[in-house]
Amino acid sequence: MEGHVLGPVRAEGDGGGRVSGGSKAAALFALLVTSPNCRCSRKEIAEVLWEGDENAGGRVDRAIADLRKRLGREAVPHSGKSGYCTLRVSEGGVDLLRFRDRVARAEGLSDPERFEQLGVALEEWDGDEPLSGLSESGFHLRREEVRVELMAAVCARLDAAWKSRKEKWLREETEKWFERAPELSQVFGFYLRSYSDLPEHRRERLIEEWTKRNGKPDADLQSIIDEVRGVAHRPRGTLLPPVPNQLPGSRRRPIGQDELIRGLVESVCEEQEAGNLALALISGMAGVGKSTVAHHLARRLQERFPDGVLYAGLNGFADGDVRPSEPDEVLDRFLATLPPYTTVTGPESKSSALRSALAHRSVLIVLDDALNAQQVLPLLPGDGTCAVIITSRNDLLRLQSERKVLFRKMEPLQEADALEVLQEKVSAKDRANHARAFNELVRLCGRLPLALVVMARLLEGTRPLRTLPALVREMEEERARLDTLHLPEHELSVRAALNCSVRVLGEEARLLLWQLAVHPGPSASWEAVMDLGRAVGEGARTDRALMELVAANLVERHGDRYRLHDLVRAFARRYVQPGSDEEMADIERSTVRQVLEHQLHNVRACDRVLAHERALPIGEPDRVTVTDPAEPGEAMAYLDEEYAAVQQGIRLAIGQGIERYQWLLSMALVTYQWRRRLLDDAMKNLVYAAEAAESAAAPADCAMVYRMLAGTQWRLGKYDSAVGYLHRAVRLSKEDPSEEGRRSLARSLHRLGITLRKQDDRTGAEEALCQALELYREVSDLVGEAAALNALGALHHDRGAHDQALRRCADALRVVERTAERSGLADVLFTLAKVHLSRAERDEAVSLYRQACDIYREQENWPNEDKTRLLFAEILVSAGETDTAVRELERVIVLRELMGGEGVREVRERLEGLR
């Protein structure tokens, strides 16, 4: 794909499709390119492209589909359930991204090299208006942001030219830019410098005219004015030699952090220009690259602080026997470099002396690897135009509560940036040949920069690239992973870095970290984490322990969920031991039981809302917090959040052979899986559930498992397998003569009947359904009775006996309306609609289809809603109601994308034929 946004917006996909001009597809392309990580929520898209329209959901879906059609599925992949649209851009595929990459590469270069590199970056822009051709008001701010970014690069190149003494080029270029952007103070400053030989009266007239138009010069421009006038002026304090410059030698370029650094530079400059102390705190887990970013940020800001740079490594989380630096020691070093070189004693006096020495200076201070706020607070200046950059593995909550802080938390890298770190010294050919292995290593390193650097060093030093598959296998073994990522001879070790973070934790935090590693993951809700504390006693302060872990960046918080980085999980499982071996075994058993009990009761609470008629022998909750969804939407939303964790819980129960959860948790989850069409997952779970139920459950309960297996096979279109499972369910149900056994037999026969109908065995289907109907009436199961009547109505409809079908469905409707079973009601309405349509009663059919669609949507039953809306759209087309049919098909496309994308193309082709 090749795209352009630094002028008229246009793009061409690999398949030849194009977007251009002011189309919504072009606007969406530009919006994604100018958004972080080329990713936007549907809500953001609606707000920019259809500002003020609260019902733009369908338009958003059409715009995404249009862009995908034009640029290809690789560029605009299906978003699934995420609610986000993402643009996948190949390396160098869009002019703005090429520009940004080249600007980033210019950082840290010498002035002549920076001049050349910025020139290459600016070749992407021919001076046109960015994002031109887009009229949506939501692009005004983005256009201005891109324009500012471009002009910042222009000014940076002018600066590099000035420092490289390219006088001829500078005169020509500043004249051009002063004509185009005379209001910019930086451009005017370079113009004055380039034409410093102007007669005094002409120079002063220029300055006067500029000031009238644009206001008082800022500090930087005033310094240049004073410079060309020959006036010695220090707007930020008096320069007293010597100027300290304690920043250590440059580190490697912080890949993937350009946006973070750019944002901090802007924020620090804003605070400085306002006359305030700028206090930037960069936190994040061990190995995420905080120090590298801080060093790079300091070099970017260094020129703005003419009175020097102070640096202190605070050793807050140093390895080995190195103790954290005392504030008193750091104060001694700082005061020794700042006149009047005071010799006061005592921490408070030294801290006061530092504030006094910095009161009229503009100094940048870097405090690297802080342990806590107590270590940092004595080292801070008072008010003024100094700035402080602090890095810590801890969020320093006390510091944030006492001072205004520019707080940034660093996360592991995006996948593309992680690959760049790993492959920095790998040829393009080798990257292509080993692409799969490199991608696997990025995943296994958790995109953590330290782990990636260790891996890159391994490949650079000792491991030939042909051993990559073996290296991947090593990393897949969790117990061996941290050994592989341990290179003490190079002072590179993920294990050592994590150990330094863990060893300062309190006892309860260490225990909770270990319990979270036992939790199967990938994430847990607040309630689930709090319930972990109950596994070791009611007195545990789990909330405090969790707060400590989050503040220490050992637990990641994303919205309302908490998770461990994979490497932290591996470390905690192997190296964190909050008790003796015997105690650990007991705590692990209690923790696993607590995790699975919490999941079972919460999934069952949702399942009760989704499947009222199903009874599971779970019992009452014991010391676990249970959700209480009021309606299906809440239940499905809860399970959407918890699904990955519950699936891991089932794997944990299977792995440890805990039969109670192996079958009950799988059964409680299956209705959700059917409605989200996660049928492969359901099948895998239920096979294990059947094995456990055979030895742990009563015959009627075991029959229920086989009915769920049959229902899953039925939805996969495997009717022969479904019949086999149902015969087993019938036999098991007959073993139980109780009322519950009779109900189980009715349900098994019912499912057998509708499956035999799918096999065109109408005689066998009717016989099974009539037996089921009799049994449902015998045990007073109204929901089952209505469902059996509805199935018999569908069977009569198949035979063309429409009057008989109508009577059966009408009976079913009367029965189901006496219950609260909304899904059963929708099923009856669906069958009734088909019958009325066959009787040429179209208006009645349309009304019934519409009602069924609404209920299926309310119940979040995506497969049934999809099927019903597709049939409904066909009727609307035949009735000439094309616009309404289009809306129905648009919803079908959304549903199919949510269910994995199968069948989307066919529906889209049908839709395009109607437009």
Side-chain angles (χ1 to χ4, degrees):
M1 184 187 73
E2 175 65 26
H4 301 269
V5 294
L6 296 182
V9 175
R10 65 189 193 281
E12 181 174 345
D14 294 337
R18 293 175 177 159
V19 297
S20 61
S23 67
K24 289 299 181 188
L28 177 57
F29 171 76
L31 179 63
L32 292 169
V33 169
T34 55
S35 296
N37 303 316
C38 294
R39 183 172 184 258
C40 268
S41 68
R42 282 177 161 80
K43 181 180 177 183
E44 291 170 324
I45 295 169
E47 287 174 350
V48 175
L49 270 59
W50 289 279
E51 185 178 5
D53 186 347
E54 296 180 358
N55 300 307
R59 294 179 178 180
V60 170
D61 293 328
R62 287 199 297 274
I64 294 172
D66 189 23
L67 187 62
R68 184 179 297 120
K69 176 183 175 183
R70 294 167 185 268
L71 299 186
R73 293 172 182 267
E74 289 296 318
V76 189
H78 289 291
S79 59
K81 296 183 289 183
S82 70
Y84 283 84
C85 178
T86 302
L87 181 70
R88 287 184 180 164
V89 182
S90 59
E91 187 174 350
V94 177
D95 56 2
L96 175 60
L97 304 184
R98 289 195 298 269
F99 164 78
R100 286 176 173 168
D101 178 66
R102 289 163 180 171
V103 169
R105 291 174 188 273
E107 295 172 5
L109 299 177
S110 66
D111 292 320
E113 291 171 330
R114 187 161 61 100
F115 172 79
E116 296 298 334
Q117 183 64 36
L118 289 169
V120 174
L122 286 164
E123 285 175 2
E124 298 294 337
W125 182 43
D126 60 7
D128 282 348
E129 181 79 356
L131 305 174
S132 64
L134 303 180
S135 58
E136 291 85 354
S137 60
F139 282 107
H140 294 343
L141 180 57
R142 288 173 185 257
R143 183 176 291 114
E144 182 58 31
E145 288 173 346
V146 174
R147 188 188 295 117
V148 167
E149 203 173 335
L150 291 165
M151 289 308 302
V154 168
C155 293
R157 194 174 190 222
L158 295 175
D159 179 67
W162 170 256
K163 291 175 179 175
S164 303
R165 300 188 178 183
K166 298 182 181 292
E167 297 175 8
K168 183 175 182 296
W169 182 92
L170 194 63
R171 286 176 78 101
E172 294 172 356
E173 203 70 10
T174 53
E175 186 169 9
K176 178 181 79 174
W177 283 110
F178 185 51
E179 185 176 337
R180 291 183 58 176
E183 75 284 355
L184 291 182
S185 62
Q186 285 180 287
V187 169
F188 183 51
F190 283 115
Y191 182 81
L192 287 177
R193 277 177 164 166
S194 300
Y195 288 90
S196 57
D197 55 352
L198 282 173
E200 183 178 348
H201 68 280
R202 285 188 59 192
R203 182 188 66 220
E204 292 303 317
R205 187 166 66 248
L206 270 175
I207 294 171
E208 182 181 353
E209 290 172 354
W210 192 92
T211 304
K212 282 181 181 179
R213 285 195 305 269
N214 302 292
K216 183 180 177 182
D218 61 25
D220 288 332
L221 178 56
Q222 187 61 56
S223 291
I224 293 172
I225 292 171
D226 292 336
E227 176 188 312
V228 297
R229 285 172 172 169
V231 179
H233 182 64
R234 294 284 301 135
R236 300 192 186 102
T238 304
L239 179 62
L240 296 173
V243 176
N245 184 6
Q246 299 179 347
L247 200 62
S250 60
R251 295 185 171 215
R252 66 191 307 276
R253 182 170 67 92
I255 294 170
Q257 304 299 344
D258 295 342
E259 187 176 341
L260 170 66
I261 293 170
R262 184 164 52 245
L264 277 172
V265 167
E266 291 172 0
S267 298
V268 169
C269 291
E270 284 176 13
E271 292 297 321
Q272 187 191 39
E273 294 299 338
N276 301 327
L277 169 68
L279 189 54
L281 169 60
I282 303 169
S283 82
M285 69 176 291
V288 81
K290 301 177 294 296
S291 295
T292 303
V293 166
H295 283 239
H296 201 72
L297 174 62
R299 295 205 175 278
R300 284 278 302 271
L301 291 167
Q302 190 169 4
E303 287 188 0
R304 296 188 63 90
F305 296 91
D307 298 320
V309 180
L310 300 176
Y311 173 87
L314 299 183
N315 301 322
F317 297 89
D319 193 14
D321 297 328
V322 179
R323 61 176 180 81
S325 300
E326 293 292 337
D328 203 45
E329 301 167 353
V330 179
L331 285 166
D332 285 339
R333 295 204 303 272
F334 284 178
L335 289 171
T337 66
L338 296 170
Y341 312 113
T342 180
T343 56
V344 297
T345 59
E348 290 186 13
S349 298
K350 293 177 183 178
S351 184
S352 177
L354 178 67
R355 290 194 297 273
S356 298
L358 296 175
H360 300 292
R361 288 183 170 88
S362 186
V363 171
L364 176 63
I365 302 174
V366 180
L367 303 175
D368 196 12
D369 193 26
L371 176 63
N372 51 37
Q374 294 93 310
Q375 194 183 25
V376 168
L377 284 167
L379 308 177
L380 301 182
D383 296 331
T385 57
C386 290
V388 183
I389 301 169
I390 304 163
T391 71
S392 179
R393 299 184 193 182
N394 195 294
D395 288 351
L396 306 186
L397 298 179
R398 179 185 162 192
L399 176 68
Q400 293 192 57
S401 69
E402 294 186 15
R403 306 292 289 266
K404 179 184 177 182
V405 174
L406 303 171
F407 176 63
R408 302 290 187 274
K409 179 172 286 195
M410 289 181 62
E411 305 286 350
L413 298 171
Q414 296 295 318
E415 187 172 346
D417 297 319
L419 273 170
E420 186 177 348
V421 173
L422 187 59
Q423 300 174 332
E424 200 169 13
K425 297 186 179 179
V426 176
S427 70
K429 180 181 177 181
D430 285 334
R431 291 184 187 192
N433 289 340
H434 302 283
R436 184 173 180 180
F438 278 123
N439 284 321
E440 280 298 295
L441 288 177
V442 163
R443 178 183 64 82
L444 292 165
C445 288
R447 295 175 283 111
L448 185 70
L450 175 58
L452 295 164
V453 169
V454 173
M455 195 60 61
R457 184 62 60 87
L458 268 176
L459 294 173
E460 180 186 342
T462 59
R463 303 285 295 251
L465 288 177
R466 66 174 179 273
T467 66
L468 274 171
L471 189 56
V472 170
R473 289 193 295 272
E474 276 180 44
M475 289 287 288
E476 283 174 340
E477 290 292 327
E478 186 182 87
R479 289 187 64 83
R481 194 175 304 167
L482 292 170
D483 293 336
T484 304
L485 295 173
H486 179 64
L487 296 179
E489 66 275 16
H490 296 291
E491 297 185 353
L492 292 171
S493 171
V494 173
R495 183 172 73 206
L498 290 173
N499 184 59
C500 295
S501 292
V502 170
R503 69 184 181 186
V504 300
L505 294 176
E507 184 179 336
E508 287 189 336
R510 286 173 62 87
L511 172 59
L512 181 58
L513 179 65
W514 182 83
Q515 287 183 296
L516 286 168
V518 171
H519 186 288
S523 67
S525 65
W526 166 268
E527 292 78 11
V529 179
M530 293 304 103
D531 279 351
L532 285 178
R534 297 189 175 101
V536 293
E538 294 295 335
R541 290 305 308 270
T542 311
D543 55 344
R544 295 274 184 88
L546 181 60
M547 183 184 298
E548 184 177 349
L549 291 173
V550 171
N553 287 295
L554 286 163
V555 169
E556 303 168 8
R557 179 183 176 186
H558 297 284
D560 294 331
R561 302 193 68 78
Y562 301 85
R563 62 175 295 155
L564 295 182
H565 189 280
D566 288 346
L567 295 176
V568 174
R569 183 183 299 278
F571 178 86
R573 281 177 175 166
R574 187 171 177 186
Y575 296 106
V576 176
Q577 187 166 354
S580 65
D581 289 343
E582 185 177 339
E583 290 172 329
M584 295 286 283
D586 289 341
I587 295 172
E588 182 168 5
R589 281 191 294 270
S590 299
T591 298
V592 169
R593 184 259 177 203
Q594 193 76 2
V595 168
L596 296 176
E597 195 73 4
H598 174 93
Q599 290 186 343
L600 178 59
H601 283 284
N602 279 280
V603 175
R604 179 58 183 139
C606 295
D607 191 52
R608 283 195 189 95
V609 177
L610 302 176
H612 302 285
E613 76 283 2
R614 180 157 59 246
L616 291 171
I618 288 174
E620 293 302 312
D622 178 23
R623 297 188 306 156
V624 294
T625 308
V626 182
T627 188
D628 185 22
E631 45 85 25
E634 284 185 30
M636 295 296 282
Y638 180 88
L639 291 173
D640 284 340
E641 288 282 345
E642 292 289 339
Y643 182 69
V646 175
Q647 278 289 97
Q648 290 293 96
I650 292 170
R651 301 275 84 75
L652 177 63
I654 292 168
Q656 298 203 3
I658 311 176
E659 291 178 337
R660 166 178 167 80
Y661 306 105
Q662 189 172 324
W663 79 276
L664 286 173
L665 197 48
S666 298
M667 289 293 292
L669 190 61
V670 74
T671 303
Y672 168 83
Q673 291 173 316
W674 286 353
R675 293 192 182 183
R676 289 293 187 254
R677 200 159 178 79
L678 299 164
L679 302 180
D680 290 341
D681 286 352
M683 199 66 208
K684 289 173 187 174
N685 293 350
L686 289 168
V687 167
Y688 286 105
E691 182 183 326
E694 287 281 3
S695 63
D701 291 328
C702 196
M704 177 168 48
V705 179
Y706 283 103
R707 285 198 301 277
M708 297 303 103
L709 273 166
T712 307
Q713 293 289 72
W714 191 87
R715 285 164 172 79
L716 288 166
K718 300 177 181 179
Y719 303 118
D720 290 343
S721 297
V723 166
Y725 286 128
L726 288 168
H727 281 307
R728 174 66 177 153
V730 168
R731 289 194 297 272
L732 285 165
S733 300
K734 288 179 177 177
E735 294 178 15
D736 185 349
S738 69
E739 180 176 310
E740 189 54 42
R742 304 290 284 169
R743 181 177 284 107
S744 174
L745 180 58
R747 291 172 178 169
S748 301
L749 288 166
H750 175 197
R751 296 303 307 176
L752 179 60
I754 63 175
T755 308
L756 291 172
R757 176 189 166 226
K758 282 288 185 182
Q759 294 183 308
D760 291 327
D761 181 0
R762 293 172 182 168
T763 302
E766 186 169 19
E767 181 182 343
L769 288 170
C770 286
Q771 290 181 57
L773 179 60
E774 184 179 339
L775 286 165
Y776 279 136
R777 286 170 171 168
E778 180 185 314
V779 297
S780 301
D781 187 334
L782 295 178
V783 172
E785 180 183 348
L789 286 166
N790 183 55
L792 285 166
L795 193 61
H796 291 314
H797 176 265
D798 294 343
R799 291 171 173 157
H802 298 147
D803 292 344
Q804 196 173 356
L806 190 61
R807 285 195 295 275
R808 283 293 195 181
C809 290
D811 290 343
L813 186 61
R814 281 191 292 273
V815 174
V816 79
E817 284 177 340
R818 293 161 56 193
T819 73
E821 180 50 49
R822 298 280 289 166
S823 290
L825 174 60
D827 293 342
V828 175
L829 293 173
F830 175 79
T831 308
L832 266 172
K834 290 175 67 176
V835 175
H836 279 291
L837 189 63
S838 298
R839 289 162 55 96
E841 295 163 351
R842 179 180 290 163
D843 290 345
E844 186 67 25
V846 166
S847 174
L848 291 166
Y849 272 129
R850 183 172 282 118
Q851 292 177 61
C853 288
D854 290 345
I855 294 173
Y856 285 136
R857 183 166 189 168
E858 161 206 306
Q859 297 289 307
E860 297 220 15
N861 191 330
W862 291 347
N864 282 5
E865 185 188 348
D866 168 88
K867 173 186 67 176
T868 307
R869 287 192 189 278
L870 198 60
L871 291 172
F872 186 28
E874 290 179 7
I875 298 170
L876 292 168
V877 170
S878 67
E881 298 183 37
T882 306
D883 290 345
T884 308
V886 165
R887 287 197 293 274
E888 295 300 318
L889 291 174
E890 286 173 344
R891 173 64 182 167
V892 170
I893 288 174
V894 170
L895 288 167
R896 293 193 174 187
E897 286 185 337
L898 289 170
M899 292 187 289
E902 184 179 350
V904 167
R905 187 170 70 177
E906 294 87 340
V907 179
R908 183 169 287 115
E909 288 173 355
R910 174 74 170 133
L911 188 60
E912 289 175 355
L914 295 175
R915 284 175 172 159

